[in-house]
Amino acid sequence: MKMRKIKDLTLRGLTWLCAGVTAAMLLFLLAYILLKGVPHIKPSLFALHYNSENVSLFPALVITVLTVALSLLIAVPLGVFAAVYLAEYAKRGSRFVRLVRTTAETLAGIPSILYGLFGSLFFVAWLGWGYSLLAGSCTLAIMILPLVMRTTEESLKAVPDSYREGAFGLGAGKLRTVFRIILPAAAPGILAGIILAIGRIVGETAALIYTLGNTADVDPSRGLFTSGRTLSMHMYSLANNALYTDQAYATAVVLLVVVIGINALSAFLAKKIVKR
Amino acid sequence: MGKFTLCDVELWYNDFKALKNVTMDIGANEITAFIGPSGCGKSTLLKSLNRMNDLVEGCKITGKLLLDGEDIYGGIDVNLLRKRVGMVFQKPNPFPMSVYDNIAFGPRTHGVKSRYRLDEIVEKSLRDAAIWDECNGRLKKSALSLSGGQQQRLCIARALSVEPDVLLMDEPTSALDPISTSKIEDLLAELKKRYTVVIVTHNMQQATRISDRTAFFLLGEMVEYGDTEQIFSLPRDKRTEDYITGRFG
Ligand SMILES: Nc1ncnc2c1ncn2[C@@H]1O[C@H](COP(=O)(O)OP(=O)(O)OP(=O)(O)O)[C@@H](O)[C@H]1O
Ligand SMILES: [Mg+2]
């Protein structure tokens, strides 16, 4: 009895410790970035155009948001519908399904620089889009497609069959069952996948250097064909220059806020869509 | 003629023959109980009455199954068939949405759009399933926040919402406490005035309490079928007698 209690306490202590360490590391990181960065956030950082004087992050901020939006716009519908096909329509265990799944798994494990290489050969050179928002977003869309597809498929599979039986039992067809019952039930899991995907997009640099380019300023008149860089790439460039260390930290703070903002927004949108 | 007419029904799950030669008439406005040991094919037969077996890969059915004289496995629209032949499952399976939306899902599926009409249907179905008093005022709350017994009655209400002729119930009370069970049994006595009910149960007392006719199954075969009173007092087959007296199964 005593032994059991001691074991129980140690285990509880250990789990508590692990949770504590994880939280502490995160808090430390956050505090460190905030302390180093917040004092250096100045209005000039948000100037409309970049020059080496103000090292404005504004163009990069716009590009980041646009890249995320465009990549998701391409990858989410594709990935979700592909997953719906695999999980709900395809014959279970058919050869085609296995092929698609294996391909997706393989693609998910490829280093991002390879996507960058492909993007620069295909979109930038072959299609002649040049270093552009469009080429960068398409490259990233391909990169996150397997992630979106796999997480969606997993969450669809996690929806209990009893929901399907319930819906079919009422005379609902396949389409209605999938869109009104299954997808809404799977929405939290799909959203988690999308948030992971956003994380990958925002943090990506290697796949973008040769597709989006790495220019600090943008040319709005060129629309989707403007080159540019995301906040992560921007930070990387700043951090490379000892002169701009402070601004790099300030940019990091903005990046954090942007990521939190985008995640909150996608959670909000997902809820809206499910409610309808 | 009965509501359902079954003639020589056989059913395979791939190579496994789950139903052998089932021939029976199921009467309208009666409660018919299916009894028998686990794995004898009760659920299988029940599900073939509204073609829920279609969802199972490798399931093959032969023989004649008629609903009001119409071939269930002929050119009938499956979705309309399932609207006419509703189903309540062993485990309560409300959708993860509000009580209201759970009930409204069926009518919406079949084209009811008017808010006013939906409100009416929701109230009527919940009243018919004897759960209106417990749900009124929390229609917008998630159905998953209801208790198990309430969820099962909600599922009955949901099945009633599309105005079926027949209600198939697969052990609807096996996960419930005695109070919820007796509520549902009272409900069935009420429902049979308007619906034909087919119920699978493992509970002999329940079968005697509520059903008019009882069918006893063993290893995919229908051993005996008759008035409930006769089956339980004067079973003709030795195997039926053994089963209901608890000597096996
Ligand atoms: N989807 C399936 N695939 C293959 N075999 C199945 C399937 N469903 C049921 N069976 C088999 O068919 C037989 C009858 O199953 P069924 O579910 O109808 O039994 P039951 O009488 O309802 O039993 P219980 O009282 O335990 O619910 C069983 O032997 C079962 O293993
Ligand atoms: Mg069963």
Side-chain angles (χ1 to χ4, degrees):
Chain A
M1 208 49 211
K2 264 259 169 68
M3 205 49 207
R4 200 124 147 227
K5 222 170 197 169
I6 293 171
K7 256 192 192 162
D8 193 46
L9 271 180
T10 345
L11 211 67
R12 189 128 42 115
L14 262 177
T15 47
W16 190 91
L17 193 72
C18 292
V21 167
T22 314
M25 281 204 293
L26 192 68
L27 283 179
F28 174 72
L29 190 83
L30 269 178
Y32 188 79
I33 291 174
L34 288 178
L35 279 178
K36 295 272 263 186
V38 171
H40 300 289
I41 296 182
K42 296 191 200 96
S44 66
L45 269 183
F46 296 91
L48 215 47
H49 285 285
Y50 172 97
N51 56 44
S52 54
E53 197 77 10
N54 63 17
V55 289
S56 168
L57 59 76
F58 186 73
L61 179 64
V62 173
I63 288 287
T64 306
V65 173
L66 288 178
T67 308
V68 169
L70 266 177
S71 315
L72 291 183
L73 205 67
I74 301 167
V76 169
L78 263 177
V80 168
F81 283 110
V84 165
Y85 173 76
L86 290 187
E88 305 291 332
Y89 285 90
K91 241 177 127 173
R92 292 204 175 153
S94 83
R95 190 179 286 177
F96 178 67
V97 170
R98 261 181 300 160
L99 183 76
V100 173
R101 205 168 283 149
T102 318
T103 315
E105 259 154 31
T106 314
L107 281 175
I110 289 179
S112 56
I113 183 70
L114 284 180
Y115 287 98
L117 198 64
F118 167 77
S120 84
L121 288 176
F122 186 69
F123 298 118
V124 176
W126 201 69
L127 290 182
W129 292 350
Y131 288 164
S132 62
L133 187 55
L134 193 60
S137 301
C138 286
T139 308
L140 290 195
I142 296 176
M143 185 181 87
I144 61 168
L145 188 57
L147 177 69
V148 174
M149 202 181 91
R150 292 290 294 158
T151 46
T152 304
E153 199 192 345
E154 290 309 316
S155 18
L156 287 174
K157 279 205 217 140
V159 174
D161 271 340
S162 67
Y163 291 174
R164 296 182 179 86
E165 287 177 348
F168 290 135
L170 286 165
K174 186 106 195 184
L175 202 68
R176 186 168 164 81
T177 303
V178 167
F179 280 89
R180 293 290 151 171
I181 305 287
I182 313 290
L183 271 178
I190 299 174
L191 182 68
I194 293 177
I195 285 179
L196 273 179
I198 293 175
R200 284 199 65 184
I201 297 171
V202 172
E204 190 52 54
T205 48
L208 287 175
I209 292 175
Y210 301 113
T211 51
L212 177 60
N214 197 9
T215 52
D217 209 351
V218 295
D219 182 357
S221 68
R222 302 194 55 208
L224 288 180
F225 291 98
T226 180
S227 66
R229 62 196 196 196
T230 62
L231 280 169
S232 293
M233 302 161 82
H234 183 65
M235 260 179 70
Y236 180 71
S237 306
L238 290 186
N240 265 343
N241 189 330
L243 271 179
Y244 298 138
T245 314
D246 292 343
Q247 285 92 331
Y249 276 107
T251 308
V253 175
V254 174
L255 182 58
L256 270 179
V257 174
V258 168
V259 171
I260 293 169
I262 293 179
N263 285 354
L265 185 72
S266 37
F268 173 77
L269 284 181
K271 256 203 197 124
K272 268 256 151 108
I273 291 170
V274 170
K275 272 267 161 62
R276 256 191 323 117
Chain B
M1 198 182 71
K3 191 79 188 163
F4 287 103
T5 310
L6 278 60
C7 197
D8 275 336
V9 172
E10 313 223 307
L11 186 145
W12 283 264
Y13 291 118
N14 298 312
D15 301 330
F16 176 72
K17 195 166 179 181
L19 290 177
K20 295 167 199 156
N21 239 319
V22 177
T23 298
M24 69 192 301
D25 256 15
I26 296 175
N29 294 82
E30 282 185 336
I31 299 184
T32 304
F34 289 176
I35 61 170
S38 192
C40 67
K42 306 178 298 289
S43 302
T44 300
L45 181 59
L46 197 69
K47 282 196 274 180
S48 45
L49 295 180
N50 69 344
R51 288 184 60 172
M52 289 300 277
N53 283 329
D54 289 10
L55 309 178
V56 179
E57 254 171 65
C59 175
K60 209 167 65 221
I61 190 163
T62 62
K64 241 203 276 184
L65 289 94
L66 308 179
L67 168 62
D68 292 327
E70 194 178 357
D71 188 358
I72 297 177
Y73 286 81
I76 203 170
D77 179 335
V78 183
N79 293 336
L80 289 182
L81 168 71
R82 292 186 185 140
K83 176 180 179 296
R84 276 167 75 191
V85 184
M87 189 154 204
V88 176
F89 299 84
Q90 177 169 3
K91 264 180 41 200
N93 60 346
F95 302 131
M97 41 172 100
S98 72
V99 171
Y100 184 97
D101 287 334
N102 259 280
I103 308 292
F105 179 81
R108 279 180 181 144
T109 300
H110 298 287
V112 179
K113 290 222 176 64
S114 127
R115 181 75 205 200
Y116 173 74
R117 182 84 188 93
L118 283 173
D119 286 350
E120 250 178 19
I121 293 175
V122 169
E123 177 168 348
K124 181 168 184 308
S125 310
L126 289 172
R127 276 192 197 284
D128 283 351
I131 190 182
W132 172 252
D133 295 333
E134 287 150 89
C135 278
N136 191 11
R138 50 196 289 193
L139 291 178
K140 292 275 162 264
K141 289 253 172 63
S142 165
L144 301 180
S145 68
L146 299 175
S147 78
Q150 291 172 331
Q151 288 187 9
Q152 190 62 306
R153 274 177 290 146
L154 178 77
C155 290
I156 296 178
R158 190 176 67 187
L160 297 181
S161 69
V162 292
E163 298 175 338
D165 301 342
V166 184
L167 214 51
L168 307 176
M169 306 179 115
D170 197 348
E171 302 179 47
T173 59
S174 66
L176 305 183
D177 70 300
I179 297 177
S180 308
T181 301
S182 82
K183 273 191 186 160
I184 289 181
E185 288 181 5
D186 294 346
L187 183 65
L188 287 179
E190 195 55 41
L191 291 178
K192 104 176 180 190
K193 292 174 192 156
R194 279 174 290 149
Y195 304 94
T196 302
V197 178
V198 185
I199 184 169
V200 171
T201 179
H202 275 291
N203 183 332
M204 299 298 140
Q205 281 82 38
Q206 184 169 61
T208 46
R209 273 196 305 265
I210 61 173
S211 71
D212 303 298
R213 311 260 291 161
T214 297
F216 170 63
F217 292 86
L218 194 63
L219 298 171
E221 228 177 308
M222 191 179 74
V223 174
E224 191 166 352
Y225 178 42
D227 287 340
T228 301
E229 228 164 278
Q230 175 255 311
I231 295 268
F232 282 94
S233 55
L234 282 173
R236 289 197 189 96
D237 197 292
K238 179 84 174 58
R239 292 167 293 175
T240 317
E241 185 179 348
D242 287 348
Y243 183 71
I244 59 178
T245 51
R247 252 170 286 185
F248 78 77

